[in-house]
Each structure stands twice: as C-alpha cells, then as structure tokens.
Amino acid sequence: EGAPKYKIEDPKGVVRKTVDLYISIENNPGIISLRNYITYDKDALELVEIENTGMLGGFTDPPAEIGSPFILRWADSLATQNNEQDGEIVKLTFRIKNTAPKGEYEICVIPIESRNYIGEKIVFTAASATLNCPTHLQTAGIFYYYSARRPH
C-alpha cells in the first residue's frame, strides 16, 4: 500500500486573483493527531484563508496573523479509535501579490509529528506544489493574466 504521505496538487486557477491549494493525506495507517509546517514565498503570496475539511477531528485554528512557515494541527484527544481516512484535510487560499514577479513559487507541507491512538509516532512524507505565476499586465490595480494573447 505504501508509506503515509502528504499530497498536494499543483494549484489550479492561476488566472484569477486567488489560488486554492488542497492538501491531502494518503496511505494513512491510523492517526489521532497530526502537525505540520506550511511554507511559501511570503514576498509573492499572501495566505488569505484556511479551510479545514473536517476529515480529521480536533483542528486548531492558527492565529489571525500568520506568515511562513506556520503550523497546522489536529489533535482529536477524545478519539476512541484511529482515523484511517485518506483524502483532503485542508484547503489554503493564496492571493498572488501585486509585486510578485513572473516565476514559479513552491508551497511545501513538512511533517512535524503524528501519533496513533496508542501514542506511537506515525511518519508522513513531506510534499510540495509549484504555483506558476505567468506574465501579467497591471491596470488600475487589476492583473490580467495571459499566455499567448493579450486581454482586450
């Protein structure tokens, strides 16, 4: 089946002002707690929303003002058994800053610690995604993204 790991799809919707990034876990052998760092280029990206999917219990909201890196954590201290589900655990929404130059930006999830119901450590493999920031034109504070043709 494979080792426990994080999975991040390369972000979709780059042509808009915001980009959604979905973080999942795969090959979950059973956990009740999960902590990880999220890192990103704070000069190019602004984190505007964190949406817990509810798949794991005990989510702790991060502080209102966070930067990179920051910690996401789940600790279901009332669990009577391991959660063995695989799937999306959180959605992060980033805004591409007006000052972001054309390029690629890496967003990473780095494991800190996970434990199962009897307290054993479960090790998840890190993951990363690449956000491609295409060439853009700035008009009155609004970005128009294009690849092969210019906007009208």
Side-chain angles (χ1 to χ4, degrees):
E1 183 171 291
K5 64 181 179 178
Y6 289 100
K7 180 180 176 186
I8 310 175
E9 297 292 332
D10 286 337
K12 307 284 190 265
V14 175
V15 295
R16 298 190 311 260
K17 291 183 184 180
T18 60
V19 176
D20 293 333
L21 182 90
Y22 298 89
I23 299 174
S24 301
I25 57 174
E26 292 184 349
N27 305 322
N28 178 6
I31 58 174
I32 64 163
S33 69
L34 182 72
R35 285 188 304 149
N36 56 59
Y37 286 114
I38 304 294
T39 64
Y40 61 94
D41 185 337
K42 61 184 177 182
D43 293 330
L45 304 172
E46 174 189 5
L47 180 64
V48 294
E49 185 177 12
I50 299 170
E51 185 179 325
N52 177 40
T53 66
M55 188 185 92
L56 300 176
F59 181 70
T60 302
D61 287 316
E65 291 188 29
I66 57 176
S68 175
F70 68 93
I71 296 175
L72 288 178
R73 69 187 68 181
W74 292 260
D76 192 354
S77 57
L78 300 177
T80 58
Q81 62 185 16
N82 287 321
N83 181 334
E84 297 178 358
Q85 289 183 294
D86 287 339
E88 290 177 358
I89 57 172
V90 69
K91 178 179 91 170
L92 306 177
T93 302
F94 291 93
R95 178 177 293 117
I96 301 171
K97 291 184 176 183
N98 291 351
T99 56
K102 175 184 176 181
E104 293 183 343
Y105 301 99
E106 188 175 43
I107 303 164
C108 300
V109 56
I110 302 165
I112 298 172
E113 183 179 72
S114 310
R115 293 195 181 260
N116 65 15
Y117 179 68
I118 59 173
E120 296 172 324
K121 287 185 180 181
I122 305 295
V123 178
F124 280 79
T125 303
S128 65
T130 300
L131 169 69
N132 182 24
C133 182
T135 304
H136 58 267
L137 299 173
Q138 185 175 3
T139 306
I142 300 172
F143 278 90
Y144 294 96
Y145 293 89
Y146 66 92
S147 54
R149 62 184 176 89
R150 301 175 85 125
H152 300 268

